[in-house]
Amino acid sequence: AARMFLRLLSDIQWRAAHPKWRRMTSSQRSTSTTAEPHPLSLPAQAQVVICGGGIVGTSVAYHLSKMGWKDIVLLEQGRLAAGTTRFCAGIVSTARPVSIELKMAHYSNKLYEQLEQETGVQTGYMKTGSISLAQTQDRLISLKRIASSLNVMGIPCEIISPKKVLQLHPLINIHDLVGAMYVPEDALVSSANVSLALATAASRNGVQIHERTCVSHITIQKGQVTGVETDRGRIQCEYFVNCAGQWAYELGHSGEEPVHIPLHACEHFYLLTHPFKEPLSSSLPTVVDPDGRIYIRNWQGGILSGGFEKNPKPLFTEGRNQLEIQNLQEDWDHFGPLLSALLRRMPGLEALQIMQLVNCPESFTPDMRCIMGESPTARGYFVLAGMNSAGVSYGGGAGKYLAEWIVNGYPSENVWPLDLKRFGTLQSSRTFLRHRVMEVMPLMCDLKVPRWDFQTGRQLRTSPLYDRLDAQGARWMEKHGFERVKYFVPPGNDLLDLDHSKTFYKPDWFDIVGSEVKCCKEAVCVIDMSSFTKFEISSTGDQALESLQYLFSNDLDVPVGHVVHTGMLNEKGGYENDCSIARLSKRSFFMISPTDQQVHCWAWLKNHLPDDSNLTMEDVTWKYTALNLIGPRAVDVLSELSYAPMTAEHFPSLFCKEMSVGYANGIRVMSITHTGEPGFVLYIPIEYALHVYNEVMNMGQKYGIRNAGYYALRSLRIEKFFAFWGQDLDAFTTPMECGREFQVKLDKGIQFLGQEALWEQKQNGVYKRFTMFILEDHDTDMDLWPWWGEPIFRNGRYVGKTTSSAYSYTLERHVCLGFVHHFDEKTGEELVVTTDFINQGEYEIDIAGQRFQAKAKLYPFSSLFTQRRRKDEVELSGYQRE
């Protein structure tokens, strides 16, 4: 029976489906080619070569062929679906907290449902539904937040009582449950057969599939993929797609130009039982018990149950393993805690005979999200890997988006949370990956409250001021591997409580951040913002200006010393980057971008700037420490330190000047704070950083200076209605949709990328509008807090989601930012969003199923920032717009 298992999940089904697939592909090929000896020889060239014949690779091939591309070759080093796909539990779950992952899973479910009818290959699709259990109130809140997102997408979902759980699944022990989430349309499939069905359809559409073919090398010339070397010959190609699963990391390093794909495999355990005396119904819902760290599904009258233990076992840290994955060694001691959790949840299993404990490798990524997209260093090199044990749920949707990306140059949805370019080379250290995946795998089940932080791989990138700030009570978070201060704990506070506070309600740091915000408004604060991405672009002639004028939407032909806030747009007018650019000289520019833009922005500029030896671009992120001086007394501190007048008459807003501060020369001072508050950012050569910081703090004592962190900055920028890239802005958001038409040079006769799309929006209107919401009936102390991703309702109808939110210590209310859409009530068609549409609606924000009234505004409340008023004295509608 044990030996039989290795064929039960896949091979019996393989033998049933494979001959049919083989006959079909041979027949298809014989219609277009003369008879060929077996195995078929590789073609000399193809438009696309895909490496990996699991559910991900076959999905990419399927969707490329559906979009009309025929010259495609799929290579598999073993047999189709013989890797991780073969061992997948086959659970298709749409209950995902990240919006793009939810959309991928929903699409996959719909695709698999009709795949058998399309291809004739049995996929084992069964719509069983799923039940996610909650043992604590916090877990139930997290489920309610997911349920809100599912419901507004039209996916049936409900929060149910423990008694309802028992009705749906009579074998479940409900004594410790407080509730659950039921998703009736979730499903089960045979993952191997889904992969074979996708391959069948792709082959019918012209895709050539070659098994037993190992890819050894990717040839890249002048930054462009040109071909693939295999053990059976070379194929010239324009595009290469790495869908090699756990081997994707090594394959990425097999070309002249390494492509860093940060993933690492861990052992993943699940057990299979013999059938019950009265076999379980095949339609019984799948059960996910995240607090118990387990999942349970029916399997041939018995059950299949696995989980994500607290002490995972990484494997294959060095080198490649066998071509086809075999069942790894059993480890009952390691599986013991999960087995105990299973028996507590289903006590009736104690008398049931276990068939086998399965141990198979699963690939995990540093942030628990899959990896998708084009390499920043090699054009035409695409990646889809690192599924974090959700390959079946994501496979269909992920393959669709990547195929769109290859064919159209961009996917149909914002996939930035999954983009390969969110990582840098620093996340590809094998030691880092090994340690991080040991944290990531348990996090698959851990309760993730807002603003939690990874604990492994920390202190990797730090400011020169790290130790000094740490000694003053700094509490840290990580962004793109860079340590950034959240807030500073004053002396005497309970540090342990603050470090471990996890809640969906009012956090323990509320008063601390409030005091930092107060200081920013009334005195002066210092925020270390060294993590921001910094590029210098220069030329011997006018090449820099001419190139940047085309790539950026605002006019950069400004006097030397001026700073321009501008977008870097794509052809659709969407933000690829949102940045500030200072003109240092006639031929030199200094560009400041968000922290996580370092790889993406560099790749975008490299691909779009002309290949001109007279034009140079340098990443100077590490050359400068950035200190943000925020507050009305910042001008006094800087004036005394520089012996230069810093008032608005001498140093106007959005101005940049190189100055001396203390003993240090060459400090680039900009009159900008990224918050809307008065102040300056000092870009300091790193060797002077500690000196300048000490001088600023010493001089600022008489002005009430103090340190502050990014939580204070977030509160300040949100109450001023400032949008940030990666949170509010993305490649599908244009300046016209977020009130930034004034930052676009439409009327200056200067051609720029995205211009036509913006002209069209200017003439015809926009289909979404960035809007500010102030919660009106929300109790900050007692109610759940909004964080981001909450549904927005207008007159009781869903119109969009929040993108970011924060408590405004000035308004003494929560402020949410988000986009409002206008859907036709009958057809669902998107309509133009007008100012009247925004202003004439009654709004509510849904926080975990509870709706709170909100006031919508298209402009910030400027007069609220000149004086502080009590909440009950504020009449929001009486304030003038900026």
Side-chain angles (χ1 to χ4, degrees):
R3 289 185 175 274
M4 282 176 56
F5 161 73
L6 292 177
R7 297 289 178 256
L8 283 173
L9 279 184
S10 171
D11 290 0
I12 287 177
Q13 298 155 338
W14 168 276
R15 290 174 179 176
H18 188 68
K20 180 178 179 180
W21 173 79
R22 179 70 72 187
R23 289 195 302 272
M24 181 275 301
T25 53
S26 298
S27 173
Q28 187 272 334
R29 290 178 183 130
S30 66
T31 62
S32 57
T33 62
T34 59
E36 296 177 5
H38 183 77
L40 298 175
S41 59
L42 296 182
Q45 64 182 35
Q47 187 175 14
V48 184
V49 174
I50 302 168
C51 178
I55 196 166
V56 170
T58 54
S59 177
V60 174
Y62 171 87
H63 286 95
L64 283 173
S65 68
K66 283 285 187 179
M67 296 182 73
W69 283 28
K70 307 298 183 184
D71 190 12
I72 301 166
V73 175
L74 187 150
L75 305 178
E76 164 55 45
Q77 64 179 351
R79 295 174 301 165
L80 287 180
T84 299
T85 297
R86 175 187 181 187
F87 287 93
C88 284
I91 300 170
V92 184
S93 170
T94 54
R96 307 290 170 177
V98 179
S99 177
I100 186 62
E101 293 178 340
L102 191 160
K103 291 177 181 178
M104 289 195 307
H106 182 50
Y107 174 85
S108 296
N109 196 347
K110 297 299 182 185
L111 172 65
Y112 303 158
E113 187 175 14
Q114 57 83 40
L115 200 55
E116 184 171 327
Q117 181 179 356
E118 177 185 349
T119 64
V121 177
Q122 293 184 358
T123 60
Y125 183 90
M126 174 68 70
K127 192 174 291 185
T128 62
S130 71
I131 307 170
S132 298
L133 309 180
Q135 297 182 29
T136 67
Q137 288 297 332
D138 275 347
R139 177 69 69 181
L140 189 60
I141 290 168
S142 70
L143 295 178
K144 287 179 178 179
R145 289 179 64 88
I146 294 173
S148 293
S149 295
L150 291 172
N151 284 325
V152 296
M153 280 193 62
I155 301 173
C157 174
E158 61 178 315
I159 299 298
I160 60 176
S161 67
K163 288 185 179 179
K164 179 67 172 177
V165 172
L166 193 61
Q167 293 174 14
L168 291 169
H169 201 307
L171 295 179
I172 294 298
N173 177 6
I174 64 169
H175 78 281
D176 58 347
L177 301 182
V178 298
M181 178 177 68
Y182 177 49
V183 185
E185 293 190 354
D186 279 355
L188 297 176
V189 295
S190 163
S191 53
N193 277 20
V194 167
S195 184
L196 294 174
L198 292 168
T200 297
S203 184
R204 287 173 181 168
N205 287 330
V207 175
Q208 295 187 49
I209 299 176
H210 295 267
E211 299 173 295
R212 305 295 186 186
T213 306
C214 291
V215 174
S216 58
H217 188 74
I218 314 302
T219 56
I220 299 168
Q221 296 179 4
K222 296 182 179 180
Q224 172 70 49
V225 167
T226 59
V228 176
E229 299 282 354
T230 79
D231 59 352
R232 295 175 54 200
R234 171 182 168 82
I235 306 175
Q236 286 186 304
C237 63
E238 299 175 47
Y239 300 93
F240 175 72
V241 188
N242 185 339
C243 298
Q246 61 179 314
W247 295 287
Y249 178 97
E250 286 82 8
L251 185 59
H253 285 79
S254 66
E256 290 95 344
E257 184 74 41
V259 174
H260 300 285
I261 305 169
L263 55 79
H264 199 295
C266 279
E267 297 181 29
H268 179 58
F269 296 87
Y270 61 81
L271 63 77
L272 291 155
T273 74
H274 288 281
F276 284 79
K277 288 183 179 180
E278 186 175 328
L280 292 181
S281 167
S282 60
S283 61
L284 206 61
T286 296
V287 174
V288 179
D289 184 2
D291 295 310
R293 318 189 73 81
I294 58 172
Y295 57 84
I296 309 164
R297 57 154 288 189
N298 67 74
W299 186 76
Q300 298 187 2
I303 68 156
L304 180 157
S305 179
F308 301 93
E309 62 274 22
K310 291 184 178 180
N311 56 332
K313 300 168 66 176
L315 75 163
F316 306 145
T317 300
E318 297 294 340
R320 297 169 66 143
N321 62 318
Q322 66 274 11
L323 297 185
E324 293 180 11
I325 298 170
Q326 303 298 322
N327 192 20
L328 303 173
Q329 185 174 358
E330 291 184 350
D331 190 339
W332 283 103
D333 289 338
H334 191 79
F335 190 71
L338 298 181
L339 179 59
S340 298
L342 172 61
L343 293 176
R344 283 194 300 271
R345 188 56 57 210
M346 292 183 69
L349 293 180
E350 288 190 359
L352 197 62
Q353 186 177 0
I354 293 173
M355 178 181 292
Q356 183 160 359
L357 178 64
V358 180
N359 178 4
C360 59
E362 282 277 6
S363 297
F364 295 88
T365 63
D367 59 2
M368 296 185 293
R369 299 197 297 267
C370 75
I371 296 173
M372 172 191 296
E374 188 173 18
S375 162
T377 56
R379 294 187 303 278
Y381 192 121
F382 285 82
V383 177
L384 185 54
M387 291 292 141
N388 298 281
S389 198
V392 176
S393 292
Y394 297 155
K400 171 180 180 286
Y401 292 141
L402 192 73
E404 292 172 344
W405 203 331
I406 294 170
V407 174
N408 300 326
Y410 49 85
S412 58
E413 294 282 352
N414 173 34
V415 297
W416 170 248
L418 314 177
D419 196 324
L420 171 63
K421 292 183 284 294
R422 72 188 188 270
F423 296 119
T425 57
L426 57 93
Q427 284 100 350
S428 289
S429 155
R430 268 308 201 188
T431 303
F432 167 82
L433 288 171
R434 183 178 178 88
H435 292 172
R436 175 56 66 85
V437 297
M438 292 175 70
E439 179 184 12
V440 161
M441 192 169 170
L443 280 170
M444 301 296 291
C445 289
D446 285 354
L447 182 68
K448 290 174 280 295
V449 299
R451 302 187 186 176
W452 57 274
D453 300 295
F454 289 107
Q455 300 304 309
T456 53
R458 297 296 297 271
Q459 299 183 31
L460 194 57
R461 303 175 71 191
T462 60
S463 158
L465 304 177
Y466 179 87
D467 289 338
R468 181 63 59 89
L469 301 179
D470 194 59
Q472 296 179 75
R475 288 297 169 264
W476 302 92
M477 60 182 177
E478 173 258 337
K479 183 80 167 181
H480 202 63
F482 215 118
E483 297 293 327
R484 310 203 303 184
V485 180
K486 296 187 285 189
Y487 49 80
F488 286 82
V489 179
N493 280 58
D494 190 332
L495 307 188
L496 188 64
D497 283 352
L498 278 169
D499 283 344
H500 293 86
S501 61
K502 292 185 176 182
T503 182
F504 291 99
Y505 292 89
K506 180 180 177 180
D508 293 342
W509 44 257
F510 178 82
D511 292 330
I512 292 175
V513 174
S515 63
E516 292 179 3
V517 169
K518 178 180 173 66
C519 187
C520 287
K521 289 182 170 294
E522 298 178 359
V524 57
C525 277
V526 178
I527 301 180
D528 184 349
M529 298 179 64
S530 303
S531 68
F532 272 29
T533 298
K534 299 172 276 288
F535 295 161
E536 286 183 3
I537 303 165
S538 58
S539 60
T540 56
D542 294 332
Q543 298 95 332
L545 176 62
E546 291 172 358
S547 300
L548 297 182
Q549 283 283 63
Y550 177 69
L551 293 180
F552 292 88
S553 60
N554 210 344
D555 188 3
L556 298 179
D557 193 6
V558 295
V560 171
H562 283 245
V563 180
V564 177
H565 191 195
T566 180
M568 182 175 77
L569 309 182
N570 53 39
E571 292 181 355
K572 298 176 297 178
Y575 280 96
E576 293 293 336
N577 186 14
D578 180 44
C579 57
S580 300
I581 299 180
R583 190 169 194 180
L584 302 179
S585 70
K586 287 286 186 181
R587 299 169 178 173
S588 179
F589 297 84
F590 185 50
M591 176 178 172
I592 312 299
S593 304
T595 302
D596 51 5
Q597 274 278 359
Q598 190 167 17
V599 177
H600 173 71
C601 183
W602 180 269
W604 180 269
L605 289 173
K606 275 291 186 182
N607 288 336
H608 288 82
L609 287 173
D611 187 10
D612 187 340
S613 60
N614 296 312
L615 178 65
T616 60
M617 180 172 67
E618 181 184 4
D619 185 343
V620 295
T621 300
W622 275 106
K623 287 189 175 182
Y624 295 94
T625 295
L627 291 182
N628 196 349
L629 272 64
I630 304 176
R633 306 313 298 266
V635 61
D636 301 308
V637 174
L638 210 51
S639 292
E640 293 199 38
L641 281 175
S642 62
Y643 293 98
M646 302 296 294
T647 59
E649 295 78 19
H650 299 89
F651 208 110
S653 179
L654 295 176
F655 193 71
C656 176
K657 185 177 181 181
E658 200 164 278
M659 303 176 63
S660 297
V661 177
Y663 296 150
N665 292 319
I667 312 299
R668 292 176 182 173
V669 179
M670 293 188 192
S671 49
I672 185 174
T673 65
H674 307 285
T675 64
E677 300 295 331
F680 307 88
V681 179
L682 281 59
Y683 290 96
I684 310 159
I686 57 171
E687 62 267 31
Y688 301 144
L690 198 56
H691 167 74
V692 172
Y693 174 77
N694 289 337
E695 291 291 298
V696 167
M697 295 303 288
N698 290 334
M699 183 62 70
Q701 292 302 313
K702 60 184 177 183
Y703 299 109
I705 198 169
R706 65 175 291 173
N707 292 299
Y710 274 81
Y711 283 10
L713 184 143
R714 182 185 181 91
S715 175
L716 291 168
R717 74 95 175 167
I718 288 177
E719 72 177 16
K720 283 294 182 67
F721 203 11
F722 278 21
F724 266 28
W725 191 91
Q727 298 173 40
D728 310 300
L729 307 179
D730 57 42
F732 290 82
T733 303
T734 73
M736 303 301 190
E737 295 165 345
C738 59
R740 292 187 175 185
E741 185 176 344
F742 66 94
Q743 292 180 0
V744 179
K745 55 196 175 199
L746 277 178
D747 56 352
K748 294 193 175 184
I750 304 171
Q751 186 179 6
F752 63 92
L753 192 60
Q755 185 175 30
E756 292 183 8
L758 299 190
W759 266 120
E760 184 177 342
Q761 286 191 334
K762 184 177 177 66
Q763 294 167 354
N764 301 329
V766 296
Y767 291 92
K768 64 179 179 180
R769 193 75 181 269
F770 194 51
T771 310
M772 180 181 192
F773 298 93
I774 294 84
L775 298 190
E776 295 189 308
D777 59 344
H778 183 270
D779 189 321
T780 303
D781 295 319
M782 302 300 296
D783 290 327
L784 288 168
W785 275 31
W787 297 98
W788 56 83
E790 290 84 12
I792 303 166
F793 291 86
R794 178 187 181 274
N795 298 343
R797 295 180 59 83
Y798 170 71
V799 292
K801 283 188 175 182
T802 64
T803 52
S804 57
S805 62
Y807 182 81
S808 167
Y809 294 88
T810 306
L811 292 171
E812 295 184 354
R813 300 187 186 188
H814 260 98
V815 176
C816 300
L817 308 182
F819 286 91
V820 171
H821 301 251
H822 184 185
F823 301 106
D824 185 276
E825 294 188 13
K826 294 182 179 179
T827 65
E829 177 188 0
E830 279 200 284
L831 305 175
V832 170
V833 178
T834 64
T835 301
D836 286 343
F837 179 81
I838 298 289
N839 292 335
Q840 294 173 6
E842 299 290 332
Y843 291 90
E844 296 172 302
I845 306 295
D846 181 316
I847 307 176
Q850 184 177 357
R851 296 188 187 181
F852 296 89
Q853 293 180 359
K855 185 73 175 180
K857 285 288 182 181
L858 290 171
Y859 304 91
F861 300 99
S862 58
S863 56
L864 285 179
F865 303 101
T866 59
Q867 57 180 323
R868 184 179 181 85
R869 302 188 182 187
R870 290 184 54 82
K871 179 165 49 178
D872 55 2
E873 295 173 347
V874 174
E875 177 55 48
L876 297 177
S877 60
Y879 290 100
Q880 300 299 311
R881 73 186 195 186
E882 285 190 337

